Amino acid sequence: MTTSNIIVLVAFAFYMLVMIAIGVVYSKKTKNNEDYFLGGRNLGGWTAALSAQASDMSGWLLMGLPGSVYLAGTGEVWIAIGLLLGTILNWYIVSSRLRKYTIVAGNSLTIPSFFQNRYRDKKGIIKIVSAVIIAIFFAVYTASAFSSGAKLFATLFGNSQNGEMDQTAYLIGLIIASVVILVYTFMGGFKAVCTTDLIQGLLMLVAILAVPIVAYAILTWDQGFSQALISKGVESPENYLDFLKNTDGSPVSAVSIISSLAWGLGYFGMPHIIIRFMAIKNEAEVKKSRKIAIIWVVLSLAAACLIGMIARGYLSTQLEAGSSETAFIRLIQEIFANNGVLIFIGGIFLCGILAAIMSTADSQLLVTASAVSEDMYKGVFKKNASEKNALWVGKIAVVVVAVIAFFIALDPSSSIMGLVSDAWAGFGSAFGPVVLLALFWKRSTLAGTVSGMAVGALTVIVWDYIPLVNGQTPGAATGLYSLAIGFFLALLVNVVVSLISKKPSDDIVKEFESIKNIEI
């Protein structure tokens, strides 16, 4: 191992030990399920905002998105625009009302328990359906984070040949990433996750802003940016830098733009993000969090897109499609080289990628644990279970889902963007319409909710995995993102079934109408 690798490894080791130490500290403060899964509903504005957004923007932000822009140009930034719009709407429409409603609806600790309390589901049907959907799609989502960590490790410390990932280094990185994330999530619970997310969110922001600024300054010191792109093989910089064109000059299709913007719909149904809304201390902190979160997202998404573009003109070796997701890593390696101080600074910035990976995976594992413990074990199968037993069931669930995600991520050729896309569509379609209708439509019913949830999840599975059109999946054949069709189909089914089913009881309607008078 080279001296440079050792310096970077020291930075990584220090960072990971700090994360584990936080888990140890908060393990001593976790006394019951409300502490472990929701932190006692006592999050401050900064912690809530950065925890929500760090949990949102996984390794996808620093690897998947820059990799897509690196290959295809600014025509890929429509996804970032969709995500920005979704973030803004989520904080302004959902955050405050969900915080209030979950208190009124039986002090719900999880999203599935909120659904059950909202619709008076005595049989626990909605909890079981929700928990199954969460377990399935979060296993895929967590796998994307593990894969990001493994690719980071393999890129830095492996011996890649012909652009292919070093299999041994990838496996070692996968094991390290999985174990570290698992340890501090298992021990510390929600407060540990949110505290580490606060640190990781700040680190991500520093890394994602500093690196492209430095790289652009170096790149354009003695030449224009377009000239730098031409020198690195971009035949037509004006097409590469045009939001409405592909690199070959053809217009970005309407289907592509719609599919990219549809990513924004996913926010309404992301359990690991909206659970933060439920944990915020009060209304004043909600408003503070909203501003912080939106500023963070604007800066980070813009910077991620710039990283892809600048890397295309900066990197000495052109990356192929299979390695384009390492563009940010390669950029840091080339900028921060030559002496120990620069290498260590580069190592800290590379920890920003670790931060993006870990801040999402820990949140997903925790939400899965709460779904299994609170919603299935204690909520349906053993309602008289003690707090201690339920807590241990949740922790065991963390381990099980992490193991499943580990095996999904074993393939080095798996696309981070692809894994995130599938999970994002699944959650957005299954839970997005349900959350909005539960919060804002008093006529919504249990039958409509369960039907819409099931249709949303199944639509994504069929659209993305079942080859129904000449041997192709509907998604591949049409180019339309499954979230776009799944969300609106689930919404339609929910509304129709609710209208033809029995009206909600008077106590449900009264509870719904009381939200406007609640202060937090």
Side-chain angles (χ1 to χ4, degrees):
M1 184 174 287
T2 66
T3 302
S4 297
N5 284 347
I6 292 173
I7 294 173
V8 172
L9 202 56
V10 168
F12 276 23
F14 175 76
Y15 175 77
M16 290 182 175
L17 286 173
V18 170
M19 298 299 103
I20 292 175
I22 291 171
V24 172
V25 170
Y26 279 103
S27 67
K28 299 175 182 179
K29 299 180 181 181
T30 300
K31 299 177 181 178
N32 54 45
N33 273 12
E34 185 168 3
D35 287 339
Y36 189 76
F37 294 129
L38 214 54
R41 294 186 188 269
N42 200 35
L43 287 190
W46 277 92
T47 304
L50 293 184
S51 179
Q53 299 318 132
S55 299
D56 167 18
M57 300 298 181
S58 61
W60 170 88
L61 176 70
L62 299 181
M63 296 178 73
L65 181 57
S68 296
V69 174
Y70 176 93
L71 286 177
T74 55
E76 292 294 311
V77 305
W78 289 101
I79 293 177
I81 295 171
L83 292 174
L84 173 60
L85 294 175
T87 299
I88 294 171
L89 290 173
N90 209 25
W91 275 100
Y92 273 96
I93 294 175
V94 174
S95 60
S96 181
R97 191 168 179 86
L98 181 65
R99 172 67 172 85
K100 295 176 182 179
Y101 213 152
T102 53
I103 291 289
V104 174
N107 191 31
S108 307
L109 300 184
T110 68
I111 297 301
S113 66
F114 166 61
F115 293 152
Q116 182 187 43
N117 295 337
R118 162 71 170 83
Y119 294 107
R120 309 298 194 270
D121 177 19
K122 296 179 180 179
K123 295 181 179 179
I125 297 172
I126 199 166
K127 275 193 169 185
I128 294 175
V129 174
S130 299
V132 169
I133 291 172
I134 285 173
I136 291 172
F137 287 111
F138 265 152
V140 176
Y141 213 146
T142 305
S144 74
F146 288 177
S147 177
S148 299
K151 287 185 177 182
L152 172 62
F153 190 91
T155 301
L156 293 174
F157 307 115
N159 295 313
S160 300
Q161 294 181 350
N162 300 322
E164 294 185 2
M165 196 71 64
D166 184 322
Q167 300 268 354
T168 302
Y170 181 89
L171 180 59
I172 294 172
L174 183 59
I175 293 171
I176 293 172
S178 304
V179 169
V180 172
I181 293 168
L182 183 59
V183 166
Y184 76 77
T185 305
F186 183 88
M187 291 191 302
F190 191 81
K191 273 292 185 71
V193 166
C194 289
T195 302
T196 54
D197 284 352
L198 172 63
I199 297 169
Q200 290 169 158
L202 291 170
L203 180 57
M204 288 165 63
L205 189 60
V206 171
I208 204 171
L209 290 177
V211 173
I213 290 173
V214 172
Y216 185 81
I218 296 172
L219 182 64
T220 59
W221 181 257
D222 56 358
Q223 63 179 332
F225 184 57
S226 293
Q227 185 59 44
L229 290 174
I230 292 172
S231 67
K232 292 300 190 300
V234 178
E235 295 181 1
S236 179
E238 63 272 17
N239 292 334
Y240 186 83
L241 299 174
D242 192 328
F243 282 45
L244 297 174
K245 289 184 179 180
N246 297 307
T247 52
D248 61 1
S250 63
V252 177
S253 68
V255 170
S256 178
I257 293 174
I258 291 170
S259 294
S260 297
L261 293 177
W263 278 71
L265 296 173
Y267 278 103
F268 304 124
M270 293 298 142
H272 61 301
I273 298 173
I274 60 179
I275 194 77
R276 267 69 184 167
F277 302 157
M278 296 163 58
I280 299 175
K281 187 184 299 182
N282 53 46
E283 184 69 26
E285 296 298 324
V286 171
K287 293 178 180 178
K288 182 195 295 184
S289 298
R290 182 184 296 152
K291 295 174 183 176
I292 296 167
I294 291 172
I295 292 171
W296 190 96
V297 168
V298 169
L299 293 175
S300 60
L301 286 174
C305 293
L306 285 173
I307 286 170
M309 290 184 281
I310 294 169
R312 186 63 182 267
Y314 192 101
L315 296 181
S316 55
T317 302
Q318 186 172 340
L319 302 177
E320 300 299 327
S323 58
S324 64
E325 292 182 331
T326 65
F328 187 45
I329 303 170
R330 304 289 188 188
L331 195 60
I332 293 173
Q333 285 181 307
E334 290 197 18
I335 295 172
F336 299 95
N338 301 326
N339 68 66
V341 175
L342 284 177
I343 294 168
F344 185 77
I345 293 172
I348 296 299
F349 286 144
L350 288 168
C351 285
I353 300 176
L354 269 184
I357 295 163
M358 296 167 70
S359 62
T360 300
D362 57 17
S363 301
Q364 293 162 349
L365 289 172
L366 195 61
V367 171
T368 307
S370 68
V372 173
S373 173
E374 280 289 307
D375 302 323
M376 294 186 74
Y377 178 68
K378 192 175 178 182
V380 178
F381 298 113
K382 196 171 182 179
K383 296 183 179 181
N384 61 345
S386 67
E387 286 280 320
K388 185 177 181 180
N389 286 343
L391 189 58
W392 272 105
V393 168
K395 289 187 174 184
I396 292 170
V398 167
V399 176
V400 172
V401 173
V403 170
I404 294 171
F406 176 88
F407 282 103
I408 293 175
L410 273 176
D411 180 9
S413 64
S414 59
S415 166
I416 297 168
M417 196 77 167
L419 290 170
V420 171
S421 175
D422 291 345
W424 190 266
F427 280 122
S429 298
F431 290 144
V434 172
V435 168
L436 293 177
L437 293 177
L439 293 177
F440 296 103
W441 191 38
K442 64 183 177 183
R443 185 64 178 81
S444 177
T445 67
L446 174 61
T449 297
V450 174
S451 301
M453 192 181 295
V455 166
L458 289 173
T459 298
V460 170
I461 292 171
V462 170
W463 198 260
D464 288 337
Y465 293 101
I466 309 299
L468 299 176
V469 185
N470 297 324
Q472 290 184 304
T473 64
T478 63
L480 184 63
Y481 186 27
S482 54
L483 177 53
I485 186 73
F487 185 95
F488 288 106
L489 190 57
L491 182 67
L492 177 63
V493 169
N494 195 329
V495 170
V496 171
V497 174
S498 291
L499 289 174
I500 63 176
S501 57
K502 185 180 178 180
K503 290 183 178 181
S505 61
D506 291 340
D507 63 321
I508 292 179
V509 174
K510 185 177 179 181
E511 181 180 270
F512 179 93
E513 294 176 342
S514 71
I515 302 303
K516 60 185 176 184
N517 300 318
I518 298 295
E519 293 185 6
I520 56 173

